[in-house]
Amino acid sequence: MAKPSIGGSFVASILDTKDLFRLVHSDRESIPDVPAVYFLMPTEENIQRISQDFQNGLYDSYFLNFISPISRQKLEDLASSALSFGCVPTISKIFDQYLNFISIEDDLFILKHQSSDDISFYAINRGDIKDTEMDIIMDSIVDSLFSVFVTSGAVPIIRCPRGNAAEMVAEKLDKKLRENLRNSRNSLFNADTLHSGQLSFQRPLLVLLDRTVDLATPLHHTWTYQALAHDVLDLALNRVTLAEDYAHAASDHSRPKKKTKSYDLNPSDRFWSLHKGSPFPTVASSVQEELDHYRACEDQVKHLKSAMGLDGESDEAISMISDNTAKLTSAVSSLPELLEKKRLIDLHTTVATAILDEIKGRKLDVYFEIEERVMSKSAFDRSLMELIMDPEKGSPEDKLRLFLIAYICCPSMTEVEFDQYASALGNAGCDMNALNYVKNWKAFSKMATMPQYGGGGTKTVGMFSRLMTQGSQFVMEGVKNLVVKKHNLPVTRIVDALLEQKNGPEVEEYRYFDPKLLRFTDSNSIPRATTPFSDAIVFVVGGGNYIEYHNLLDYAKSKTGSSQKKLIYGTTQLINASQFLRQDGTPYYTVGFAFRAIKETR
């Protein structure tokens, strides 16, 4: 997977050994005798700005790198500008980089961050969307997915369900790959055009899914570290933004939330890499263990200094002690590593405290436990009404999410029961438009197979004995120590069936595309691979979430030996429940594909 591409555009000027980065639309002064590297989307606005730079003669030479391929018309416009301003010799290189996506993790990517609403679930499923608008959205998704496979250097076998946006994306992507492979001279998948290490004897499987395959999981209150941070905090592009007061007054609900501070959560952080998929109680306990270990190391250094009568001395003096103080010298030499460890402990203490504050304030452990029970048994839980009517437990959005999950997962609810809960939700201050959407969607979905959520649930183990002590950073009293039972979500079960070439009701109607078989255009007549796949890219059209991502990772980790799997999760945008229910003040309440399908059947 490529390094993250970005939504913005910039210019890098090379000055001796230093690189100077500037946004392409910022005010920039002329720097003679200096080459400039441009990295930007080939938009009309950006092309005009490059032409303006040509006119002003800002740089000695230009290296133009376009994130996605530039069209012939815009390339001709650029050439005309270069001719007009006499700077053709200064244009050194023009590249189509095919980096129109963002790698969040080694095995996680999204298509957009800025302007991601253009390809959102709402944008795709608007009932009044025009065919031309839909084509623009689908082409945008296909262009980005094409970039993913050009970067990976592999032509996938494509599987997708019928009758939704995923099928449209599959058809267009298959066509685009075929057209590129057909042009043998300029194909981007020839061995000569691939970097070393990109060749593989086994092709990956691309599983294209529509968000409507599972509407309950995006609404689910989660219990793992990364997913919780995304749900209850402001986490985007591996950076979490918190109110500064969290670090000092995590239990003070009346604190002002004006000043904010951002923290980067990246793979170099060992604790984050190890625990981002762990249940929150495990994370809280591990943070406390790390803190205790740091304090022990710190006390050891202080004790050694005190024992040798060096209190108050500088570190320089300590480092020059004779050989019989080797133990102290070793301890002091580890101080930089110790300080970095302390910084990361402080970071995760702050983040975990902020999450804990939300869990306790909104009783999220209660919501998570009930939702797991509902989703695992597919049976209606009569205690929902009590929780919905309790003003002390959860926000109106929490209550709405809980009921929507119960309504989606349980087919036995009567119309009278629905009206009773709808009335209770209205009294609790919930926005009823989401409920009306799900009701219409569920009525339509009776025509197809509903997703099954079996095998989940939770169990409560001993309370947080280590974290209930007076010296703990986390006051966990009143929060349940829930252990999540391992289970596969609907997306993971579909992926498993397709990887292992299983026949089942969930995948029997899935279409099959193989862009390399140029003579076959009908997916029903294409010769199919029969051996299990080991590599797969799972892509969800309409928004994905960290819950599905970690569930797929857990599934891949469970496969060992000859059945080992390598999975990559991708989506149009990473969304939490709040974003899924509402975007820019506009509820997601139309059923574009569904309503069009209903009209066709009538």
Side-chain angles (χ1 to χ4, degrees):
M1 191 64 67
K3 291 186 179 296
S5 63
I6 57 176
S9 308
F10 69 81
V11 180
S13 305
I14 304 173
L15 301 171
D16 295 328
T17 58
K18 296 181 179 179
D19 294 339
L20 178 67
F21 293 90
R22 291 288 183 269
L23 293 177
V24 72
H25 291 287
S26 62
D27 293 330
R28 290 174 280 116
E29 297 179 355
S30 175
I31 310 178
D33 303 324
V34 169
V37 178
Y38 287 69
F39 184 72
L40 69 178
M41 290 291 291
T43 62
E44 190 66 37
E45 186 181 19
N46 288 341
I47 298 299
Q48 291 176 1
R49 185 56 193 246
I50 295 172
S51 299
Q52 184 179 333
D53 291 352
F54 289 167
Q55 183 179 9
N56 296 332
L58 293 187
Y59 307 108
D60 178 67
S61 58
Y62 300 85
F63 295 81
L64 306 180
N65 295 267
F66 292 105
I67 296 173
S68 62
I70 184 172
S71 67
R72 183 172 184 83
Q73 180 59 53
K74 289 177 181 175
L75 193 60
E76 290 177 354
D77 293 342
L78 200 61
S80 297
S81 297
L83 285 169
S84 299
F85 302 124
C87 62
V88 173
T90 64
I91 302 177
S92 299
K93 295 285 184 179
I94 299 178
F95 296 99
D96 288 334
Q97 293 291 3
Y98 292 95
L99 291 173
N100 194 16
F101 60 96
I102 304 172
S103 295
I104 304 294
E105 310 268 358
D106 289 340
D107 45 19
L108 172 65
F109 71 93
I110 60 175
L111 301 192
K112 275 190 175 184
H113 178 64
Q114 298 175 344
S115 303
S116 62
D117 293 347
D118 297 343
I119 54 175
S120 66
F121 181 81
Y122 171 70
I124 295 171
N125 288 278
R126 286 189 296 116
D128 60 348
I129 190 171
K130 299 177 181 177
D131 289 342
T132 52
E133 294 174 328
M134 180 63 76
D135 284 337
I136 291 172
I137 294 173
M138 295 297 106
D139 288 341
S140 174
I141 295 173
V142 168
D143 288 345
S144 293
L145 282 175
F146 184 76
S147 294
V148 170
F149 289 105
V150 170
T151 301
S152 67
V155 180
I157 291 172
I158 306 171
R159 300 297 304 271
C160 72
R162 297 178 183 271
N164 52 35
E167 184 181 27
M168 292 183 67
V169 171
E171 290 175 344
K172 286 178 174 287
L173 180 61
D174 176 66
K175 180 181 178 182
K176 192 176 183 72
L177 289 167
R178 285 173 182 273
E179 290 174 350
N180 188 268
L181 290 168
R182 205 174 270 123
N183 184 356
S184 57
R185 286 188 59 188
N186 298 312
S187 174
L188 296 165
F189 298 95
N190 286 338
D192 294 338
T193 65
L194 299 179
H195 301 292
S196 61
Q198 288 183 306
L199 295 174
S200 175
F201 290 106
Q202 187 169 34
R203 294 166 60 192
L205 175 69
L206 171 61
V207 181
L208 283 170
L209 300 172
D210 190 84
R211 182 66 273 164
T212 54
V213 75
D214 176 12
L215 288 182
T217 297
L219 300 170
H220 189 21
H221 290 87
T222 183
W223 200 235
T224 55
Y225 192 21
Q226 188 174 38
L228 264 172
H230 189 235
D231 187 16
V232 304
L233 305 178
D234 182 9
L235 174 63
L237 299 181
N238 296 336
R239 174 171 291 179
V240 62
T241 303
L242 302 173
E244 284 190 346
D245 295 354
Y246 268 124
H248 309 293
S251 60
D252 180 10
H253 291 274
S254 63
R255 63 183 178 277
K257 296 186 179 180
K258 295 181 180 179
K259 294 184 179 180
T260 60
K261 186 175 181 179
S262 295
Y263 302 88
D264 290 327
L265 302 169
N266 52 60
S268 63
D269 180 346
R270 184 189 63 83
F271 186 91
W272 175 250
S273 297
L274 187 63
H275 291 294
K276 63 185 179 182
S278 300
F280 183 74
T282 303
V283 173
S285 179
S286 298
V287 171
Q288 188 62 45
E289 288 175 4
E290 293 283 334
L291 184 59
D292 292 343
H293 181 262
Y294 167 79
R295 285 173 175 168
C297 293
E298 188 179 44
D299 289 343
Q300 182 184 13
V301 174
K302 289 179 180 179
H303 176 72
L304 286 169
K305 289 175 68 178
S306 176
M308 301 189 70
L310 294 172
D311 288 336
E313 294 291 335
S314 66
D315 289 340
E316 289 81 359
I318 296 172
S319 64
M320 299 181 67
I321 300 175
S322 59
D323 293 341
N324 62 349
T325 61
K327 191 174 182 180
L328 178 59
T329 304
S330 175
V332 173
S333 65
S334 67
L335 280 176
E337 180 182 346
L338 209 58
L339 291 173
E340 174 62 13
K341 187 173 184 179
K342 178 61 165 61
R343 184 188 70 82
L344 294 175
I345 291 172
D346 289 343
L347 184 159
H348 289 289
T349 300
T350 302
V351 173
T353 300
I355 292 174
L356 177 61
D357 194 44
E358 294 291 331
I359 291 173
K360 295 173 68 175
R362 293 161 53 184
K363 305 294 182 185
L364 298 185
D365 53 333
V366 177
Y367 280 90
F368 171 73
E369 185 178 26
I370 294 178
E371 287 169 6
E372 281 287 309
R373 188 162 63 239
V374 169
M375 294 172 74
S376 63
K377 296 180 180 178
S378 295
F380 197 67
D381 193 320
R382 303 298 168 183
S383 64
L384 262 64
M385 181 64 79
E386 180 181 345
L387 193 57
I388 290 172
M389 297 181 67
D390 189 342
E392 300 298 322
K393 292 183 178 179
S395 65
E397 184 180 280
D398 292 325
K399 300 176 189 296
L400 179 62
R401 289 166 61 178
L402 172 65
F403 178 75
L404 287 175
I405 290 171
Y407 184 59
I408 290 170
C409 297
C410 305
S412 60
M413 186 184 300
T414 66
E415 192 71 25
V416 173
E417 287 177 323
F418 177 88
D419 292 339
Q420 290 175 347
Y421 279 95
S423 177
L425 290 168
N427 293 334
C430 300
D431 190 328
M432 303 305 293
N433 290 320
L435 197 57
N436 295 332
Y437 163 69
V438 173
K439 186 178 181 181
N440 289 328
W441 170 81
K442 191 173 181 181
F444 166 74
S445 297
K446 287 180 180 178
M447 300 163 57
T449 303
M450 292 289 289
Q452 300 297 316
Y453 298 86
T458 62
K459 62 178 180 179
T460 304
V461 299
M463 295 301 287
F464 307 90
S465 56
R466 293 194 69 259
L467 302 177
M468 300 277 287
T469 62
Q470 188 174 2
S472 173
Q473 290 289 107
F474 303 100
V475 182
M476 304 294 290
E477 187 175 1
V479 178
K480 296 183 178 181
N481 189 2
L482 301 173
V483 177
V484 185
K485 297 178 182 178
K486 295 294 184 182
H487 66 290
N488 290 336
L489 294 173
V491 166
T492 305
R493 286 204 301 276
I494 290 170
V495 171
D496 175 60
L498 294 175
L499 284 173
E500 302 293 347
Q501 304 282 14
K502 298 177 182 177
N503 293 322
E506 291 178 316
V507 298
E508 62 182 357
E509 294 296 324
Y510 272 53
R511 295 188 65 184
Y512 185 102
F513 298 89
D514 189 346
K516 277 194 171 182
L517 299 179
L518 302 180
R519 293 181 300 160
F520 297 91
T521 56
D522 182 4
S523 63
N524 294 322
S525 62
I526 293 178
R528 301 193 177 195
T530 56
T531 57
F533 293 91
S534 60
D535 297 349
I537 295 177
V538 184
F539 187 84
V540 181
V541 180
N545 52 78
Y546 283 108
I547 305 174
E548 287 174 342
Y549 166 60
H550 285 294
N551 195 252
L552 284 166
L553 291 187
D554 290 341
Y555 163 79
K557 290 175 184 177
S558 69
K559 301 293 183 177
T560 58
S562 60
S563 62
Q564 188 174 0
K565 307 296 181 186
K566 181 181 178 182
L567 301 182
I568 294 175
Y569 181 73
T571 181
T572 46
Q573 55 176 174
L574 272 175
I575 51 174
N576 58 29
S578 295
Q579 295 164 337
F580 188 56
L581 287 170
R582 180 175 294 274
Q583 183 168 312
D584 293 336
T586 307
Y588 282 146
Y589 308 131
T590 54
V591 199
F593 272 102
F595 284 157
R596 283 199 293 276
I598 290 173
K599 289 178 183 177
E600 290 173 3
T601 58
R602 291 177 178 173

